Amino acid sequence: DVKVTQSSRYLVKRTGEKVFLECVQDMDHENMFWYRQDPGLGLRLIYFSYDVKMKEKGDIPEGYSVSREKKERFSLILESASTNQTSMYLCASSLSTGLQFFGPGTRLTVL
Amino acid sequence: DQQVKQNSPSLSVQEGRISILNCDYTNSMFDYFLWYKKYPAEGPTFLISISSIKDKNEDGRFTVFLNKSAKHLSLHIVPSQPGDSAVYFCAASFQGAQKLVFGQGTRLTINP
C-alpha cells in the first residue's frame, strides 16, 4: 500500500511566523504535490515537483515555497504566515501520470 | 477558468436509494477522469476512474459514466449507505500530464 505521511495533523501558528509542512511518501513516486482545500473551492494546487530539486508552480503559489532535496520528501514553506493561509493542506504523490495518493492532511490555523 | 465543475455543492439522499453526483469539464483534451472521496480531517481517497475510451466503469456499488460529447461525467452509488456521507471530488487529466484538475467538490449526505 502506498503511504503518504504528513508531519502534523493540526498546527497553530502566529501571523508572521515561518511554517514548515513536511510530507513523506514510501513508494518511490517521481511526482509530489501540495494542495490546499477550502470550502467551496475544491483542491487548489500550490506547487508540485516531478523530480528531486525540480519544482513547478501550481495555481496559487503566492506566499509559499517548496523544497525537495530527497525523492521521498517534499516540504511546503510559508515564509511569513498570514491569516488567509489558514486552511487544510494536503500532500499527494503519484507515478508518472494520473492517480494521486494523498496524505491525511494538516489543518493549519494562523492567528 | 474552472476547467472541471461540480455545480452541486451538496446532495442529500435517503439510505438505500441511488446517489448521482455530476461533473462537467470544458477541456476536450482530458482523457482520464477520477473520483475521490473525502471524510472530514482526512485526505482524499481514490474511488474509481475512467478513461476516455470507455463510457462506463463499474466497481461494486460505484459506477462512473462518461459522456464525451456533453463533456460530462457522473458517479452513481447504489444502494447508498450512511458511510457514503462525505465530500466527493471529480478530477481530470490528459495523457502526458502529471497534474490533475479538481472540481469544487459535492458534499453527499445519506439520511437513515
Side-chain angles (χ1 to χ4, degrees), chain B residues 7 10 15 54 56-57 65 69 78 87 90 98 103 107:
Chain B
N7 291 314
S10 62
E15 183 179 356
K54 291 183 160 187
K56 177 182 171 181
N57 189 26
F65 295 93
S69 60
V78 183
V87 177
C90 70
Q98 291 124 335
R107 180 177 300 280

Side-chain angles (χ1 to χ4, degrees), chain A residues 15-37:
Chain A
T15 303
E17 276 193 83
K18 191 167 185 175
V19 182
F20 292 88
L21 302 182
E22 294 247 301
C23 175
V24 177
Q25 52 96 1
D26 66 357
M27 283 303 291
D28 204 35
H29 285 171
E30 295 98 346
N31 302 320
M32 295 188 76
F33 307 82
W34 275 107
Y35 296 88
R36 61 178 284 178
Q37 184 208 351

Side-chain angles (χ1 to χ4, degrees), chain A:
Chain A
D1 268 358
V2 176
K3 194 152 185 199
V4 180
T5 56
Q6 294 183 227
S7 49
S8 306
R9 295 298 300 272
Y10 300 93
L11 211 50
V12 179
K13 295 291 181 180
R14 298 226 171 258
T15 303
E17 276 193 83
K18 191 167 185 175
V19 182
F20 292 88
L21 302 182
E22 294 247 301
C23 175
V24 177
Q25 52 96 1
D26 66 357
M27 283 303 291
D28 204 35
H29 285 171
E30 295 98 346
N31 302 320
M32 295 188 76
F33 307 82
W34 275 107
Y35 296 88
R36 61 178 284 178
Q37 184 208 351
D38 301 288
L41 297 177
L43 300 177
R44 293 182 293 166
L45 182 64
I46 305 171
Y47 267 97
F48 76 100
S49 168
Y50 48 91
D51 203 349
V52 175
K53 297 193 189 294
M54 306 301 284
K55 61 186 179 187
E56 238 181 79
K57 291 180 181 179
D59 302 316
I60 50 164
E62 297 79 19
Y64 303 94
S65 62
V66 290
S67 170
R68 192 164 181 204
E69 297 296 319
K70 292 186 177 181
K71 191 173 185 180
E72 67 270 17
R73 191 178 297 267
F74 192 34
S75 302
L76 180 70
I77 303 147
L78 287 68
E79 294 289 340
S80 176
S82 63
T83 54
N84 63 12
Q85 292 179 310
T86 291
S87 187
M88 168 71 98
Y89 289 88
L90 294 159
C91 175
S93 72
S94 74
L95 285 170
S96 51
T97 59
L99 178 58
Q100 294 180 15
F101 296 88
F102 284 84
T106 297
R107 169 71 64 186
L108 173 67
T109 303
V110 182
L111 301 174

Side-chain angles (χ1 to χ4, degrees), chain B residues 13-27:
Chain B
V13 173
Q14 206 73 19
E15 183 179 356
R17 307 292 291 267
I18 183 170
S19 296
I20 300 176
L21 295 98
N22 294 303
C23 181
D24 296 297
Y25 61 96
T26 57
N27 190 337

Side-chain angles (χ1 to χ4, degrees), chain B residues 70-91:
Chain B
K71 294 193 183 72
H72 177 84
L73 65 153
S74 60
L75 174 69
H76 292 211
I77 307 173
V78 183
S80 301
Q81 298 174 354
D84 297 329
S85 295
V87 177
Y88 290 78
F89 293 98
C90 70

Side-chain angles (χ1 to χ4, degrees), chain B residues 85-105:
Chain B
S85 295
V87 177
Y88 290 78
F89 293 98
C90 70
S93 180
F94 53 87
Q95 195 169 10
Q98 291 124 335
K99 295 189 289 185
L100 293 175
V101 180
F102 284 87
Q104 306 96 310

